[in-house]
Amino acid sequence: MGRPADEDLSRRADTILERISTKPSLAALLSIWRSAASSGMPKRSAIDPIDLARAGLLPSLMVLGKEADGRFRYRLAGERLRQAMQIRMAVAFLEDVHPAPIERFFHQRYLQNNDEGCVEYSAGGFLRIED
């Protein structure tokens, strides 16, 4: 009974990987991530910022860390994100950057990403309350 869902998930994963392979920056991010994440969420020291810079990823990249109290802190937020949000995000907590409804949405997404040891890519406008 579980087979159709597994096959659908596999097809979706293949489609996503195919789309990623057509965009050099995403292919580079996937390669860097796979090298660092041998099993689960990689340690911060496993990803070299120089590799991210060489791939041209830093301006649009954000990295969050989960604190002991369960909150998320921006460890890195690229210049494009800073310009979009008009706030210095690096070292700020999620709730310091986003209004409550958006913070709750992101917090749930990041909990899931953290628990599953995955990276997330999204395209489009960056969520702000006025948007």
Short mmCIF file of all heavy atoms in Angstrom, two decimals, residues 54-97:
data_model
loop_
_atom_site.label_atom_id
_atom_site.label_comp_id
_atom_site.label_asym_id
_atom_site.label_seq_id
_atom_site.Cartn_x
_atom_site.Cartn_y
_atom_site.Cartn_z
N ARG A 54 32.81 31.13 -3.65
CA ARG A 54 33.25 30.76 -5.02
C ARG A 54 32.05 30.43 -5.91
O ARG A 54 32.07 30.69 -7.10
CB ARG A 54 34.17 29.56 -4.97
CG ARG A 54 35.58 29.89 -4.63
CD ARG A 54 36.48 28.67 -4.80
NE ARG A 54 37.72 28.91 -4.10
CZ ARG A 54 38.26 28.08 -3.22
NH1 ARG A 54 37.70 26.93 -2.94
NH2 ARG A 54 39.38 28.39 -2.61
N ALA A 55 31.03 29.83 -5.31
CA ALA A 55 29.84 29.45 -6.08
C ALA A 55 28.89 30.63 -6.26
O ALA A 55 27.85 30.49 -6.91
CB ALA A 55 29.12 28.30 -5.37
N GLY A 56 29.23 31.79 -5.69
CA GLY A 56 28.39 32.98 -5.84
C GLY A 56 27.11 32.92 -5.01
O GLY A 56 26.13 33.60 -5.31
N LEU A 57 27.12 32.13 -3.95
CA LEU A 57 25.91 31.90 -3.16
C LEU A 57 25.71 32.87 -2.00
O LEU A 57 24.58 33.06 -1.55
CB LEU A 57 25.91 30.47 -2.62
CG LEU A 57 25.86 29.37 -3.67
CD1 LEU A 57 26.20 28.03 -3.05
CD2 LEU A 57 24.49 29.35 -4.32
N LEU A 58 26.77 33.45 -1.51
CA LEU A 58 26.67 34.23 -0.27
C LEU A 58 25.66 35.38 -0.28
O LEU A 58 24.95 35.56 0.71
CB LEU A 58 28.05 34.73 0.16
CG LEU A 58 28.98 33.65 0.72
CD1 LEU A 58 30.32 34.27 1.10
CD2 LEU A 58 28.36 32.94 1.91
N PRO A 59 25.53 36.16 -1.35
CA PRO A 59 24.58 37.28 -1.28
C PRO A 59 23.13 36.87 -1.03
O PRO A 59 22.36 37.63 -0.45
CB PRO A 59 24.72 37.94 -2.66
CG PRO A 59 26.07 37.55 -3.13
CD PRO A 59 26.30 36.17 -2.60
N SER A 60 22.76 35.66 -1.44
CA SER A 60 21.36 35.24 -1.32
C SER A 60 21.16 34.11 -0.31
O SER A 60 20.10 33.50 -0.27
CB SER A 60 20.85 34.76 -2.69
OG SER A 60 20.94 35.80 -3.62
N LEU A 61 22.16 33.86 0.48
CA LEU A 61 22.12 32.71 1.37
C LEU A 61 21.88 33.13 2.80
O LEU A 61 22.35 34.17 3.25
CB LEU A 61 23.47 31.98 1.28
CG LEU A 61 23.59 30.65 1.98
CD1 LEU A 61 22.83 29.58 1.21
CD2 LEU A 61 25.05 30.27 2.10
N MET A 62 21.11 32.32 3.51
CA MET A 62 20.99 32.51 4.94
C MET A 62 21.21 31.17 5.62
O MET A 62 20.87 30.12 5.09
CB MET A 62 19.65 33.10 5.34
CG MET A 62 18.46 32.20 5.16
SD MET A 62 17.00 32.99 5.82
CE MET A 62 15.90 32.79 4.45
N VAL A 63 21.85 31.24 6.77
CA VAL A 63 22.10 30.05 7.58
C VAL A 63 21.57 30.37 8.97
O VAL A 63 21.89 31.42 9.53
CB VAL A 63 23.60 29.72 7.64
CG1 VAL A 63 23.86 28.55 8.57
CG2 VAL A 63 24.15 29.43 6.24
N LEU A 64 20.75 29.47 9.47
CA LEU A 64 20.22 29.64 10.82
C LEU A 64 20.73 28.54 11.72
O LEU A 64 21.00 27.44 11.26
CB LEU A 64 18.68 29.58 10.80
CG LEU A 64 18.02 30.81 10.20
CD1 LEU A 64 17.68 30.56 8.76
CD2 LEU A 64 16.80 31.16 11.00
N GLY A 65 20.83 28.84 12.98
CA GLY A 65 21.20 27.85 13.97
C GLY A 65 20.12 27.76 15.03
O GLY A 65 19.52 28.77 15.39
N LYS A 66 19.90 26.55 15.51
CA LYS A 66 18.91 26.36 16.56
C LYS A 66 19.61 26.48 17.91
O LYS A 66 20.58 25.78 18.18
CB LYS A 66 18.25 24.99 16.42
CG LYS A 66 17.11 24.76 17.38
CD LYS A 66 16.47 23.41 17.15
CE LYS A 66 15.40 23.14 18.17
NZ LYS A 66 14.99 21.74 18.12
N GLU A 67 19.13 27.38 18.72
CA GLU A 67 19.71 27.62 20.04
C GLU A 67 19.19 26.58 21.04
O GLU A 67 18.19 25.90 20.78
CB GLU A 67 19.34 29.04 20.52
CG GLU A 67 19.82 30.14 19.61
CD GLU A 67 21.33 30.30 19.61
OE1 GLU A 67 21.92 30.36 20.70
OE2 GLU A 67 21.92 30.35 18.52
N ALA A 68 19.84 26.50 22.18
CA ALA A 68 19.45 25.54 23.22
C ALA A 68 18.01 25.76 23.69
O ALA A 68 17.32 24.81 24.07
CB ALA A 68 20.41 25.63 24.41
N ASP A 69 17.54 27.01 23.63
CA ASP A 69 16.17 27.30 24.07
C ASP A 69 15.13 27.07 22.98
O ASP A 69 13.94 27.34 23.17
CB ASP A 69 16.07 28.73 24.60
CG ASP A 69 16.33 29.80 23.54
OD1 ASP A 69 16.53 29.45 22.34
OD2 ASP A 69 16.35 30.99 23.90
N GLY A 70 15.56 26.56 21.81
CA GLY A 70 14.64 26.24 20.73
C GLY A 70 14.44 27.36 19.72
O GLY A 70 13.81 27.15 18.69
N ARG A 71 14.94 28.54 20.01
CA ARG A 71 14.80 29.65 19.07
C ARG A 71 15.86 29.51 17.97
O ARG A 71 16.85 28.83 18.14
CB ARG A 71 14.98 30.99 19.77
CG ARG A 71 13.90 31.24 20.80
CD ARG A 71 13.97 32.63 21.40
NE ARG A 71 15.26 32.89 22.01
CZ ARG A 71 15.72 34.12 22.28
NH1 ARG A 71 15.00 35.19 21.98
NH2 ARG A 71 16.88 34.29 22.85
N PHE A 72 15.58 30.18 16.84
CA PHE A 72 16.52 30.17 15.73
C PHE A 72 17.20 31.53 15.61
O PHE A 72 16.55 32.56 15.71
CB PHE A 72 15.81 29.82 14.42
CG PHE A 72 15.44 28.38 14.32
CD1 PHE A 72 14.19 27.94 14.72
CD2 PHE A 72 16.35 27.45 13.85
CE1 PHE A 72 13.86 26.60 14.65
CE2 PHE A 72 16.03 26.11 13.77
CZ PHE A 72 14.77 25.67 14.17
N ARG A 73 18.50 31.47 15.37
CA ARG A 73 19.29 32.69 15.19
C ARG A 73 19.93 32.64 13.80
O ARG A 73 20.42 31.61 13.36
CB ARG A 73 20.40 32.75 16.23
CG ARG A 73 21.26 34.01 16.13
CD ARG A 73 22.48 33.97 17.04
NE ARG A 73 22.18 33.88 18.44
CZ ARG A 73 22.02 34.92 19.26
NH1 ARG A 73 22.10 36.15 18.77
NH2 ARG A 73 21.79 34.74 20.53
N TYR A 74 19.86 33.78 13.11
CA TYR A 74 20.54 33.89 11.83
C TYR A 74 22.05 33.90 12.08
O TYR A 74 22.56 34.78 12.77
CB TYR A 74 20.13 35.17 11.09
CG TYR A 74 18.75 35.11 10.52
CD1 TYR A 74 17.66 35.63 11.21
CD2 TYR A 74 18.52 34.51 9.28
CE1 TYR A 74 16.38 35.57 10.68
CE2 TYR A 74 17.24 34.45 8.74
CZ TYR A 74 16.18 34.98 9.45
OH TYR A 74 14.92 34.91 8.92
N ARG A 75 22.75 32.92 11.54
CA ARG A 75 24.20 32.87 11.65
C ARG A 75 24.84 33.64 10.51
O ARG A 75 25.91 34.20 10.64
CB ARG A 75 24.70 31.43 11.61
CG ARG A 75 24.13 30.56 12.68
CD ARG A 75 24.79 30.90 13.99
NE ARG A 75 24.28 30.00 15.02
CZ ARG A 75 24.16 30.34 16.27
NH1 ARG A 75 24.51 31.54 16.66
NH2 ARG A 75 23.70 29.49 17.15
N LEU A 76 24.14 33.64 9.39
CA LEU A 76 24.63 34.31 8.19
C LEU A 76 23.40 34.75 7.40
O LEU A 76 22.42 34.02 7.33
CB LEU A 76 25.46 33.34 7.36
CG LEU A 76 25.99 33.87 6.04
CD1 LEU A 76 27.48 33.61 5.97
CD2 LEU A 76 25.29 33.20 4.88
N ALA A 77 23.45 35.94 6.86
CA ALA A 77 22.39 36.41 5.97
C ALA A 77 23.05 37.31 4.94
O ALA A 77 23.67 38.32 5.28
CB ALA A 77 21.31 37.16 6.74
N GLY A 78 22.93 36.91 3.70
CA GLY A 78 23.60 37.62 2.61
C GLY A 78 23.07 39.01 2.37
O GLY A 78 21.99 39.40 2.83
N GLU A 79 23.83 39.75 1.60
CA GLU A 79 23.53 41.15 1.33
C GLU A 79 22.18 41.34 0.63
O GLU A 79 21.46 42.28 0.93
CB GLU A 79 24.66 41.77 0.50
CG GLU A 79 24.50 43.24 0.18
CD GLU A 79 24.41 44.14 1.41
OE1 GLU A 79 24.82 43.72 2.51
OE2 GLU A 79 23.92 45.27 1.26
N ARG A 80 21.83 40.46 -0.28
CA ARG A 80 20.52 40.59 -0.96
C ARG A 80 19.38 40.48 0.03
O ARG A 80 18.37 41.18 -0.08
CB ARG A 80 20.38 39.54 -2.05
CG ARG A 80 21.18 39.84 -3.27
CD ARG A 80 20.83 38.91 -4.41
NE ARG A 80 21.76 39.10 -5.49
CZ ARG A 80 22.36 38.13 -6.14
NH1 ARG A 80 22.10 36.87 -5.85
NH2 ARG A 80 23.20 38.39 -7.10
N LEU A 81 19.52 39.60 1.01
CA LEU A 81 18.49 39.44 2.04
C LEU A 81 18.43 40.66 2.95
O LEU A 81 17.36 41.14 3.31
CB LEU A 81 18.73 38.17 2.85
CG LEU A 81 18.72 36.88 2.04
CD1 LEU A 81 19.15 35.71 2.89
CD2 LEU A 81 17.35 36.64 1.45
N ARG A 82 19.60 41.17 3.32
CA ARG A 82 19.65 42.36 4.16
C ARG A 82 18.98 43.54 3.47
O ARG A 82 18.20 44.28 4.07
CB ARG A 82 21.09 42.73 4.53
CG ARG A 82 21.15 43.85 5.59
CD ARG A 82 22.47 44.57 5.59
NE ARG A 82 22.76 45.28 4.34
CZ ARG A 82 22.16 46.41 3.94
NH1 ARG A 82 21.24 46.97 4.66
NH2 ARG A 82 22.50 46.98 2.79
N GLN A 83 19.23 43.68 2.17
CA GLN A 83 18.62 44.77 1.42
C GLN A 83 17.10 44.59 1.33
O GLN A 83 16.35 45.55 1.48
CB GLN A 83 19.22 44.86 0.02
CG GLN A 83 20.63 45.41 0.02
CD GLN A 83 21.26 45.36 -1.37
OE1 GLN A 83 20.73 44.78 -2.30
NE2 GLN A 83 22.43 45.98 -1.49
N ALA A 84 16.66 43.37 1.11
CA ALA A 84 15.22 43.11 0.99
C ALA A 84 14.50 43.39 2.31
O ALA A 84 13.40 43.93 2.33
CB ALA A 84 14.97 41.67 0.56
N MET A 85 15.12 43.01 3.41
CA MET A 85 14.49 43.18 4.72
C MET A 85 14.79 44.52 5.35
O MET A 85 14.13 44.92 6.30
CB MET A 85 14.94 42.06 5.66
CG MET A 85 14.49 40.68 5.24
SD MET A 85 12.70 40.54 5.13
CE MET A 85 12.23 40.77 6.83
N GLN A 86 15.80 45.22 4.83
CA GLN A 86 16.23 46.51 5.36
C GLN A 86 16.57 46.44 6.85
O GLN A 86 16.23 47.32 7.64
CB GLN A 86 15.17 47.58 5.09
CG GLN A 86 14.94 47.76 3.60
CD GLN A 86 13.89 48.79 3.30
OE1 GLN A 86 13.16 49.25 4.16
NE2 GLN A 86 13.80 49.17 2.03
N ILE A 87 17.22 45.32 7.22
CA ILE A 87 17.65 45.11 8.59
C ILE A 87 18.85 44.18 8.57
O ILE A 87 18.95 43.32 7.70
CB ILE A 87 16.51 44.52 9.46
CG1 ILE A 87 16.94 44.42 10.92
CG2 ILE A 87 16.06 43.17 8.93
CD1 ILE A 87 15.80 44.00 11.85
N ARG A 88 19.77 44.38 9.49
CA ARG A 88 20.91 43.46 9.62
C ARG A 88 20.40 42.19 10.28
O ARG A 88 20.01 42.19 11.44
CB ARG A 88 22.01 44.10 10.45
CG ARG A 88 23.25 43.23 10.52
CD ARG A 88 24.39 43.96 11.23
NE ARG A 88 25.56 43.13 11.26
CZ ARG A 88 25.89 42.36 12.29
NH1 ARG A 88 25.13 42.32 13.36
NH2 ARG A 88 26.98 41.62 12.25
N MET A 89 20.37 41.11 9.54
CA MET A 89 19.80 39.86 10.03
C MET A 89 20.82 39.00 10.76
O MET A 89 20.47 38.30 11.71
CB MET A 89 19.19 39.08 8.86
CG MET A 89 18.02 39.80 8.21
SD MET A 89 17.53 39.09 6.62
CE MET A 89 16.96 37.48 7.10
N ALA A 90 22.07 39.02 10.31
CA ALA A 90 23.08 38.15 10.91
C ALA A 90 23.16 38.39 12.41
O ALA A 90 23.18 39.54 12.86
CB ALA A 90 24.43 38.37 10.27
N VAL A 91 23.14 37.33 13.16
CA VAL A 91 23.14 37.23 14.63
C VAL A 91 21.81 37.57 15.29
O VAL A 91 21.65 37.41 16.49
CB VAL A 91 24.32 37.97 15.34
CG1 VAL A 91 25.65 37.59 14.75
CG2 VAL A 91 24.14 39.47 15.37
N ALA A 92 20.83 38.03 14.52
CA ALA A 92 19.52 38.32 15.09
C ALA A 92 18.71 37.03 15.23
O ALA A 92 18.91 36.07 14.50
CB ALA A 92 18.76 39.31 14.20
N PHE A 93 17.79 37.04 16.17
CA PHE A 93 16.86 35.92 16.31
C PHE A 93 15.74 36.08 15.30
O PHE A 93 15.42 37.19 14.87
CB PHE A 93 16.28 35.87 17.73
CG PHE A 93 17.23 35.33 18.74
CD1 PHE A 93 17.93 36.18 19.57
CD2 PHE A 93 17.44 33.96 18.86
CE1 PHE A 93 18.81 35.68 20.52
CE2 PHE A 93 18.32 33.45 19.79
CZ PHE A 93 19.01 34.32 20.63
N LEU A 94 15.14 34.97 14.94
CA LEU A 94 14.04 34.96 13.98
C LEU A 94 12.96 35.96 14.37
O LEU A 94 12.48 36.72 13.53
CB LEU A 94 13.48 33.53 13.94
CG LEU A 94 12.64 33.10 12.77
CD1 LEU A 94 13.38 33.24 11.46
CD2 LEU A 94 12.21 31.65 12.95
N GLU A 95 12.59 35.97 15.65
CA GLU A 95 11.50 36.86 16.10
C GLU A 95 11.92 38.33 16.10
O GLU A 95 11.06 39.22 16.14
CB GLU A 95 10.98 36.45 17.48
CG GLU A 95 11.98 36.59 18.60
CD GLU A 95 12.79 35.34 18.87
OE1 GLU A 95 12.87 34.44 18.00
OE2 GLU A 95 13.36 35.25 19.96
N ASP A 96 13.22 38.62 16.03
CA ASP A 96 13.68 40.01 15.96
C ASP A 96 13.59 40.55 14.53
O ASP A 96 13.60 41.77 14.34
CB ASP A 96 15.14 40.12 16.43
CG ASP A 96 15.29 39.74 17.89
OD1 ASP A 96 14.33 39.88 18.66
OD2 ASP A 96 16.39 39.26 18.25
N VAL A 97 13.49 39.67 13.57
CA VAL A 97 13.48 40.06 12.17
C VAL A 97 12.06 40.06 11.59
O VAL A 97 11.72 40.91 10.78
CB VAL A 97 14.40 39.13 11.34
CG1 VAL A 97 14.32 39.43 9.86
CG2 VAL A 97 15.84 39.24 11.83
#
